[in-house]
Amino acid sequence: MKWNDMHNFLIAALEKKIPEKAKLADVLSDILCMEKGAVYRRIRGEVPFSFFEIVNITEKLNMSLDSLVHANSMRTDRFVLKLIEYTELNDIDYTHWDDYNELIDSAKNDSKSEIAESLNVLPISIYSKFDTLSRYYLFKWQYLFNGTKSRLPYRDLVIPERLYRIYQTYFEKTRNIANTLYVWDHLIFQYLVTDIKYFSSINLVTSNDIRQIKEELFAFLDYTEKIAINGCFEETGKPVQFYISDINLEADYSYIRINDLYISLVRTFILYSGASLDRDSYEKTKAWIQSLKKSSTLVTQSGTMLRAHFFEKQRNIISEL
């Protein structure tokens, strides 16, 4: 779905709910804590509503975002894929990221907030701390999805400073979520090393690039192992459960609950996610991730030998680069 369609569907739904334009502007101004001039620019379509604004409006006016997305469709697909062109980011793309970080930041006021991720790739909630790893995943994205520019070597990839700052902000804000759960594929680092070896074989990643990536991967492991030992984020002390799956995870799923907002996500195309605000989708995603514990090993504050063995094995895998 195009973002313009989302905007138009929202306006159509709002005009049905509140036909008087002046009253509609007053209501939106109160909800968004925004001057009427800015509200009118959004109503006229001169400025698009951000994702965070749409969520806020639909929540306060008791409107279903799912039905809004499919207002002109007979189907009721629950997941919406928001595509961001990471190598050519525009203001709207940055706004979506800023809004998402603002949503995550609101977790600091919710003692029951939670996030859970089942993953076969490293989580951005941790690797965003490391510039080289953040750059690597952007490099892989542009190789697969950036057409004729896909032969751009890793060393020539330029990441906007603003995006780096957004990543750092995301890392910092996720430390404030009250409860975090990770379930990792036991081959998560093997997959990554296999990819890097491929890019090296086609001369897009140099030996010097690999040296820098290895350094950050070791730092990533050191940081993660501390989380596993202590059972919390060292920055905030917020609890973390960390499981290693004994079976392969075929896809990445996550769910987030903050201030009565329920979000479920399916990772696609490396950096994208299909997102849903549907409560039933949230509950199913949560049940799926929780069920993975049955075939996984808890390594936070327990399983000392298994934990030590896992992290030592990952260091050996990285050393193969």
Side-chain angles (χ1 to χ4, degrees), residues 5-51:
D5 293 337
M6 173 72 85
H7 175 93
N8 292 336
F9 291 160
L10 174 64
I11 293 299
L14 287 173
E15 288 178 344
K16 286 182 180 179
K17 194 173 187 70
I18 308 174
E20 297 180 30
K21 187 163 292 187
K23 185 177 179 181
L24 174 60
D26 287 336
V27 171
L28 295 182
S29 180
D30 290 339
I31 292 174
L32 301 175
C33 299
M34 184 181 294
E35 294 182 357
K36 283 188 181 180
V39 169
Y40 277 118
R41 286 193 290 274
R42 283 160 172 76
I43 292 174
R44 293 193 297 265
E46 297 171 6
V47 176
F49 285 102
S50 71
F51 176 77

Side-chain angles (χ1 to χ4, degrees), residues 148-167:
T148 57
K149 298 179 181 179
S150 65
R151 295 292 302 182
L152 183 72
Y154 172 84
R155 64 183 177 275
D156 293 339
L157 183 65
V158 177
I159 308 302
E161 180 61 30
R162 185 175 177 183
L163 183 58
Y164 273 134
R165 292 198 302 271
I166 284 173
Y167 275 10

Side-chain angles (χ1 to χ4, degrees), residues 101-135:
N101 278 339
E102 186 177 347
L103 170 64
I104 297 299
D105 186 47
S106 66
K108 65 188 178 185
N109 300 317
D110 181 4
S111 62
K112 296 182 179 180
S113 60
E114 60 179 326
I115 183 171
E117 300 181 283
S118 62
L119 303 154
N120 57 25
V121 299
L122 301 187
I124 189 173
S125 57
I126 297 180
Y127 81 65
S128 53
K129 173 182 174 68
F130 303 94
D131 290 351
T132 298
L133 296 181
S134 297
R135 186 181 181 194

Side-chain angles (χ1 to χ4, degrees), residues 150-198:
S150 65
R151 295 292 302 182
L152 183 72
Y154 172 84
R155 64 183 177 275
D156 293 339
L157 183 65
V158 177
I159 308 302
E161 180 61 30
R162 185 175 177 183
L163 183 58
Y164 273 134
R165 292 198 302 271
I166 284 173
Y167 275 10
Q168 287 296 311
T169 299
Y170 180 69
F171 170 82
E172 293 166 5
K173 302 306 181 186
T174 52
R175 306 306 95 168
N176 290 318
I177 293 177
N179 294 283
T180 298
L181 166 66
Y182 291 117
V183 182
W184 284 10
D185 191 308
H186 63 113
L187 296 176
I188 191 169
F189 282 92
Q190 188 64 67
Y191 298 144
L192 176 59
V193 166
T194 299
D195 286 351
I196 295 172
K197 286 181 176 179
Y198 167 75

